[in-house]
């Protein structure tokens, strides 16, 4: 019997309003709104608590975890030191198997390559899975805009991503894209798509999604995926996922395109054994994810599945500029999301406050590096520098030290502003000079006298106001320690 | 044994009683305490804000004051400030060999108060008494850079009549973070509130820490919420200066 291609029912137009075009600046304002959103807070708490507990349990049961972490760091260090060579090796291996390789300098290059490919193939429907890199460059929206005449329908097929897309929303977590939504909201979104009221249970919602996505899988002309890892030695793309959807994207459509950040390389196949073990455990608290997929080029003669055409896009988009700089370690990230889950700031704000694809500590580090420090100038400050992220990171990236270096970079580039510059100059002069320090203390004690009479101050001008709006400000002691010492303890 | 006391600027100006308790505890243990005049601050506020030059300059002053051979150790009642000197000085002087050498030599001599008692003096039972049900907050630097986790707990376990309670998510930052508390006040307060919620759930009436800065932030928030939780530095607990 002939299988008919299902009708193209368009429902996934990209209409994410606050996507990557929103200014990254303004973390504080978005965070202020987020901390008051109790529904959001509950959802994030639920997800992060579960992930952290799972992660702790499986890592504790893996005695070699610290050693694996050390090895992962070394492998990445080695990869970055010879990135050119490894990229060349990767390209040769893929081409040797009949695949196409494209080096994309920027996001625009990626869009153009895929747009032209879609035109050549006469594509109508594109399915996608597992790709943060295309999120980073807003591939969907740009394809729809720049190639409007093709009238492409681009469908996210990972369940969470799909729901986010239907809701006109962006992912708010690297691993749990819609962790900010509760069941009520998810039911609402899917019901709207179904055109009928769906019952709010996992079974019913899941089966609706499965039915609808199946149509898309069968109709797809091109499948786009990301890559968790690319093995330079063999040209293999590895994706790890908990949904079978990824495999339907890589094997059903006649064309498979991989968009991969150049930092995702590992030199050898055996390196995967280190990273795959760490990734699942750190990200979701599983020993292994449900699917670990390897794709090496297009379908070879005699093979049963795989795409006819295989394209690997190696995307730079600012990454190579970090090589050999104090920020290189940011490229070691394997996008497990562990640092988000343990980050006390992320836990209060959720991912959207960060205003970009990558949120949490790693987002606060790489967004300013990839987008330019000025636009993302709030992000390096969106951290109390508690170090929980560094402790959790399976690759051992010193995220909080990188945040400190980014703050220093802002000072050096003059992004910080004059007022702060003067304040810290004043700080320096005072603290270098014990006499001046003592006098400042005395002045402070005098200045607070009228305030102290009125009890704990509720509002004060300047930076102290930010403190006193919600916390009592401590009073300076009548006598500093140095004086008590002199008087004799 | 002779130690130089490093009293961080906010302890000096806001909580001098903590410094006093440290002196009394150390003297009871037979340690000779000197207080180098001329000390001010370790430079951490500038460093955390990215003003590394200013921090280096303050750090040089700090090293001038504390490098002396006349004492065996530098003892500091703050995990955070101890970390600044012992962990981050080598970091900020990375490319300045002279200062880096000085920093690396000074680093191991700078000890946080509880670390000094337990690991240098070998004291875990100080013979203190305090009535109460307490939770202990470990400052983030003390937890992660210094790795001084067990020491305060051991000291507190031996305080007579004091019940030490577990609390939820105790590893989470309290939200102070230096200038973070002023730059991102809403998130900072939300973080404090999460700690306070856990504290209330635990049933504690006392909050203890080795970092006066975390305590200042949490105390300010507790007071604004109308709670009368007792807030103490570990040194005050040992000294019986528990109010
Ligand atoms: S920085 Fe580390 S913890 Fe965070 S996502 Fe990347 S690999 Fe995971």
């Amino acid at each position: 019997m002939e299988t008919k291609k299902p009708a193209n029912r368009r429902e996934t137009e990209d209409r994410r309003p606050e996507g990557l075009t929103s200014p990254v600046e303004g973390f504080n304002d978005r965070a202020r709104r987020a901390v008051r959103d109790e529904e959001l807070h509950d959802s994030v708490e639920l997800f992060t608590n579960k992930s952290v507990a799972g992660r702790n349990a499986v890592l504790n049961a893996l005695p070699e975890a610290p050693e694996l972490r050390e090895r992962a760091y070394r492998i990445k260090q080695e990869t970055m030191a010879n990135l050119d060579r490894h990229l060349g090796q990767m390209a040769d291996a893929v081409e040797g198997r009949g695949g196409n390789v494209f080096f994309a300098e920027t996001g625009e290059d990626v869009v153009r390559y895929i747009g032209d490919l879609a035109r050549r193939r006469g594509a109508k429907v594109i399915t996608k899975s597992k790709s943060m890199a295309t999120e980073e460059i807003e591939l969907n929206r740009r394809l729809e805009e720049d190639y409007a005449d093709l009238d492409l329908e681009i469908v996210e097929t990972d369940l969470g991503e799909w729901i986010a897309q239907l809701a006109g929303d962006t992912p708010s977590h690297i691993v749990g894209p819609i962790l900010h939504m509760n069941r009520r909201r998810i039911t609402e979104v899917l019901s709207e798509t179904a055109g009928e009221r769906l019952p709010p249970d996992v079974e019913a919602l899941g089966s609706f999604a499965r039915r609808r996505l199946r149509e898309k899988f069968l109709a797809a002309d091109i499948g786009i995926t990301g890559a968790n890892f690319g093995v330079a030695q063999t040209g293999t793309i590895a994706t790890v996922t908990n949904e079978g959807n990824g495999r339907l994207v890589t094997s059903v459509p006649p064309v498979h395109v991989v968009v991969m950040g150049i930092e995702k390389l590992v030199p050898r196949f055996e390196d995967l054994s280190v990273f795959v073990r760490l990734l699942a455990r750190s990200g979701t608290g599983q020993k292994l994810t449900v699917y670990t997929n390897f794709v090496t080029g297009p379908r070879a003669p005699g093979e049963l599945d795989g795409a006819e055409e295989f394209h690997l896009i190696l995307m730079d988009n600012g990454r190579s500029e970090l090589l050999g700089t104090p920020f290189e370690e940011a490229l070691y990230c394997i996008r497990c999301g562990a640092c988000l889950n343990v980050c006390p700031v992320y836990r209060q704000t959720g991912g959207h406050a960060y205003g970009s694809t990558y949120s949490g500590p790693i987002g606060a580090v790489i967004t300013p590096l990839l987008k330019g420090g000025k636009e993302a100038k709030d992000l390096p400050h969106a951290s109390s520098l508690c170090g929980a992220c560094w402790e959790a990171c399976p690759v051992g990236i010193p995220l909080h030290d990188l945040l400190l270096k980014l703050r220093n970079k802002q000072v050096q580039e003059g992004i910080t502003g004059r007022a702060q510059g003067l304040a810290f100059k004043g700080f320096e002069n005072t603290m270098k000079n014990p006499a001046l320090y003592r006098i400042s203390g005395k002045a402070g004690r005098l200045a607070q006298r009228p305030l102290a009479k009125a009890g704990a101050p509720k509002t004060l001008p300047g930076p102290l106001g930010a403190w006193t709006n919600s916390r009592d400000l401590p009073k300076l002691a009548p006598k500093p320690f140095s004086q008590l010492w002199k008087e004799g303890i | 044994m002779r130690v130089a006391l490093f009293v961080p600027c906010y302890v000096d100006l806001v909580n001098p009683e903590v410094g006093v308790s440290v002196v009394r505890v150390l003297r009871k243990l037979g340690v000779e305490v000197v207080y180098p005049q001329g000390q001010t601050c370790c430079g951490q506020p500038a460093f955390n804000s990215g003003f590394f030059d200013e921090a280096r300059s303050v750090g040089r002053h700090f090293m001038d004051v504390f490098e002396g051979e006349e004492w065996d150790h530098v003892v500091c009642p703050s995990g955070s400030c101890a970390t600044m000197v012992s962990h981050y000085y080598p970091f900020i002087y990375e490319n300045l060999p002279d200062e880096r050498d000085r920093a690396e030599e000074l680093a191991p001599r700078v000890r946080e108060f509880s670390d000094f008692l337990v690991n240098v003096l070998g004291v875990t039972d100080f013979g203190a008494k305090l009535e109460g049900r307490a939770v202990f907050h470990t400052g983030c630097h003390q937890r992660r850079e210094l790795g001084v986790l067990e020491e305060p707990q051991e000291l507190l376990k031996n305080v007579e009549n004091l019940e030490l309670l577990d609390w939820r998510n105790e590893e989470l930052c309290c939200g102070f973070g230096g200038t973070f508390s002023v730059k991102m006040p809403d998130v900072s307060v939300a973080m404090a509130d999460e700690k306070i919620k856990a504290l209330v759930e635990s049933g504690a009436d006392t909050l203890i820490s080795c970092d006066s800065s975390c305590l200042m932030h949490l105390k300010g928030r507790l007071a604004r919420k109308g709670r009368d939780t007792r807030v103490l530095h570990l040194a005050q607990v040992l000294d019986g200066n528990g109010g």
Side-chain angles (χ1 to χ4, degrees):
Chain A
M1 200 181 80
E2 197 194 344
T3 42
K4 251 182 74 196
K5 260 195 162 189
N8 180 8
R9 186 186 358 224
R10 168 184 277 277
E11 64 215 2
T12 41
E13 199 164 346
D14 218 44
R15 52 196 162 101
R16 309 175 193 200
E18 238 199 316
L20 301 173
T21 45
S22 76
V24 182
E25 213 177 308
F27 173 87
N28 221 354
D29 293 334
R30 287 189 298 270
R32 184 171 304 127
R33 269 181 274 141
V35 297
R36 300 203 172 119
D37 183 341
E38 272 179 40
E39 230 170 59
L40 171 75
H41 194 256
D42 290 349
S43 302
V44 176
E45 194 175 1
L46 201 70
F47 180 92
T48 52
N49 278 346
K50 210 176 86 203
S51 306
V52 172
R55 169 189 163 269
N56 291 345
V58 294
L59 279 178
N60 287 341
L62 185 73
E64 71 268 32
E67 189 222 332
L68 279 181
R69 188 182 191 223
E70 185 76 31
R71 269 174 70 195
Y73 184 91
R74 296 270 165 257
I75 294 169
K76 279 293 175 190
Q77 201 175 33
E78 174 201 341
T79 314
M80 298 309 155
N82 304 293
L83 193 59
D84 271 0
R85 186 160 60 76
H86 293 304
L87 283 168
Q89 222 185 348
M90 177 93 194
D92 289 347
V94 170
E95 281 168 354
R97 287 183 162 258
N100 306 286
V101 177
F102 175 62
F103 284 91
E105 178 96 27
T106 63
E108 282 90 52
D109 295 342
V110 178
V111 177
R112 209 170 313 117
Y113 186 87
I114 296 179
D116 293 347
L117 176 67
R119 190 184 301 283
R120 176 167 66 74
R121 296 284 317 194
K124 284 271 160 262
V125 179
I126 296 180
T127 47
K128 281 180 67 196
S129 168
K130 294 290 297 172
S131 178
M132 296 287 288
T134 60
E135 196 72 41
E136 170 186 328
I137 59 171
E138 285 185 284
L139 177 73
N140 299 8
R141 192 180 59 72
R142 283 155 89 172
L143 275 178
E144 279 168 11
E145 283 173 19
D146 299 356
Y147 291 80
D149 61 312
L150 300 184
D151 198 28
L152 290 168
E153 185 188 13
I154 305 154
V155 190
E156 297 294 342
T157 68
D158 294 318
L159 190 58
E161 288 267 353
W162 185 56
I163 294 168
Q165 191 183 26
L166 293 173
D169 210 342
T170 48
S172 67
H173 187 282
I174 294 177
V175 174
I178 52 164
L179 77 88
H180 59 290
M181 292 188 193
N182 55 22
R183 188 179 303 180
R184 187 184 51 75
R185 176 79 184 121
I186 293 168
T187 311
E188 229 172 69
V189 172
L190 290 179
S191 296
E192 194 192 303
T193 308
E196 59 174 304
R197 186 93 215 130
L198 297 172
D201 68 75
V202 179
E203 259 322 285
L205 297 174
S207 92
F208 165 72
R210 211 169 306 125
R211 263 197 326 273
R212 191 53 66 84
L213 284 172
R214 192 165 298 155
E215 293 172 12
K216 304 296 176 190
F217 285 125
L218 292 174
D221 306 293
I222 297 178
I224 300 179
T225 68
N228 285 100
F229 306 100
V231 183
Q233 186 188 40
T234 56
T236 305
I237 300 298
T239 50
V240 300
T241 152
N242 279 316
E243 298 175 32
N245 297 350
R247 299 188 311 166
L248 293 170
V249 173
T250 59
S251 57
V252 177
V255 182
H256 177 200
V257 182
V258 176
V259 182
M260 171 178 143
I262 52 171
E263 82 285 13
K264 294 270 172 145
L265 279 186
V266 295
R268 299 155 296 260
F269 207 84
E270 71 226 40
D271 298 330
L272 289 179
S273 80
V274 175
F275 288 104
V276 171
R277 270 190 284 172
L278 285 172
L279 178 57
R281 285 181 168 86
S282 307
T284 46
Q286 294 164 290
K287 281 200 192 132
L288 270 185
T289 48
V290 181
Y291 300 95
T292 306
N293 250 2
F294 301 106
V295 176
T296 312
R299 184 192 309 196
E303 279 180 359
L304 288 177
D305 63 359
E308 305 164 5
E309 262 186 52
F310 177 85
H311 300 261
L312 171 64
I313 303 180
L314 292 161
M315 181 175 96
D316 186 332
N317 208 28
R319 288 160 171 74
S320 59
E321 274 170 43
L322 306 183
L323 292 169
T325 72
F327 300 101
E328 184 184 280
E329 287 155 315
L331 296 175
Y332 300 3
C333 172
I334 58 172
R335 311 277 187 260
C336 71
C339 57
L340 281 61
N341 297 335
V342 298
C343 174
V345 173
Y346 181 92
R347 291 165 68 102
Q348 298 302 333
T349 62
H352 287 146
Y354 293 78
S356 87
T357 307
Y358 306 107
S359 54
I362 185 63
V365 170
I366 56 174
T367 304
L369 291 171
L370 295 181
K371 284 177 103 89
K374 204 157 189 168
E375 196 195 335
K377 72 177 173 21
D378 287 356
L379 291 184
H381 302 277
S383 164
S384 63
L385 302 175
C386 73
C389 47
W390 154 71
E391 190 178 57
C393 177
V395 198
I397 304 173
L399 290 154
H400 64 316
D401 285 354
L402 293 179
L403 288 169
L404 276 161
K405 289 181 187 170
L406 276 169
R407 293 180 186 184
N408 181 236
K409 189 162 173 264
Q410 292 188 336
V411 171
Q412 286 171 340
E413 288 171 358
I415 296 177
T416 316
R418 232 174 92 78
Q420 260 199 72
L422 286 173
F424 280 106
K425 209 64 220 152
F427 168 84
E428 178 195 347
N429 290 333
T430 309
M431 295 307 183
K432 265 192 339 196
N433 182 339
L436 195 55
Y437 167 73
R438 305 263 171 258
I439 293 170
S440 311
K442 206 175 258 175
R445 282 188 291 278
L446 277 175
Q448 78 176 0
R449 257 193 212 159
L451 293 169
K453 269 197 203 121
K458 298 281 189 267
T459 45
L460 279 176
L464 290 181
W467 180 284
T468 51
N469 281 338
S470 44
R471 285 155 291 192
D472 283 2
L473 191 69
K475 290 187 202 95
L476 298 180
K479 287 181 187 177
F481 177 84
S482 52
Q483 194 176 336
L484 296 177
W485 176 269
K486 254 189 236 149
E487 291 171 6
I489 294 168
Chain B
M1 175 88 64
R2 197 159 192 236
V3 304
L5 191 62
F6 160 33
V7 177
C9 49
Y10 56 85
V11 175
D12 179 38
L13 298 172
V14 182
N15 305 108
E17 67 281 3
V18 170
V20 172
S21 289
V22 171
V23 175
R24 287 206 206 121
V25 169
L26 291 176
R27 280 186 185 156
K28 260 190 218 159
L29 292 168
V31 176
E32 189 190 340
V33 184
V34 287
Y35 176 75
Q37 297 292 331
Q39 61 177 285
T40 56
C41 165
C42 60
Q44 189 171 192
F47 172 62
N48 278 359
S49 299
F51 288 83
F52 287 10
D53 283 343
E54 288 76 0
R56 280 187 204 106
S57 161
V58 175
R60 263 177 224 119
H61 173 73
F62 184 95
M63 293 196 289
D64 288 344
V65 173
F66 281 101
E67 262 166 345
E69 288 299 317
E70 318 88 89
W71 41 75
D72 305 293
H73 293 278
V74 176
V75 174
C76 169
S78 156
S80 179
C81 303
T83 301
M84 180 64 205
V85 180
S86 64
H87 184 86
Y88 281 114
Y89 277 12
F91 176 95
I92 54 177
Y93 298 118
E94 211 173 25
N95 300 318
L96 301 166
D98 286 350
E99 276 99 342
R100 193 192 51 218
D101 288 351
R102 288 174 69 188
E104 273 168 4
E105 204 174 302
L106 185 57
R109 294 175 65 207
V110 175
R111 308 297 288 251
E112 183 276 327
F113 173 67
S114 68
D115 172 29
F116 180 74
L117 291 193
V118 176
N119 298 322
V120 179
L121 298 183
V123 174
T124 50
D125 190 349
F126 186 72
K129 256 193 216 161
L130 181 74
E131 193 77 43
R133 293 160 60 75
V135 286
F136 184 79
H137 168 69
T138 312
C140 296
H141 287 139
Q142 173 148 353
R143 171 185 300 278
R144 301 198 175 89
E145 273 93 3
L146 295 186
V148 177
L149 273 171
E150 301 295 322
E151 290 81 352
Q153 308 271 348
E154 276 178 49
L155 287 160
L156 285 171
K157 261 183 225 147
N158 290 318
V159 173
E160 218 179 302
N161 298 333
L162 186 71
E163 193 185 343
L164 202 55
L165 307 167
D166 287 331
W167 56 330
R168 198 161 48 88
N169 290 336
E170 55 98 21
E171 75 287 353
L172 284 181
C173 172
C174 69
F176 173 60
T179 47
F180 173 77
S181 63
V182 179
K183 276 190 192 151
M184 306 261 164
D186 299 271
V187 188
S188 164
V189 167
M191 284 157 72
D193 283 354
E194 184 158 349
K195 295 302 286 186
I196 289 173
K197 199 166 131 206
L199 181 147
V200 172
E201 275 172 26
S202 76
D205 55 29
T206 305
L207 169 67
I208 304 169
S209 177
C210 292
D211 270 288
S212 299
S213 50
C214 304
L215 290 178
M216 165 175 81
H217 165 67
L218 288 172
K219 188 177 175 180
R221 186 60 186 159
L222 281 162
R224 190 57 63 93
K225 287 178 151 260
R227 299 211 154 258
D228 58 358
T229 311
R230 182 170 49 166
V231 176
L232 295 172
H233 189 281
L234 174 71
Q236 292 173 286
V237 176
L238 297 183
D239 182 35
N241 185 8

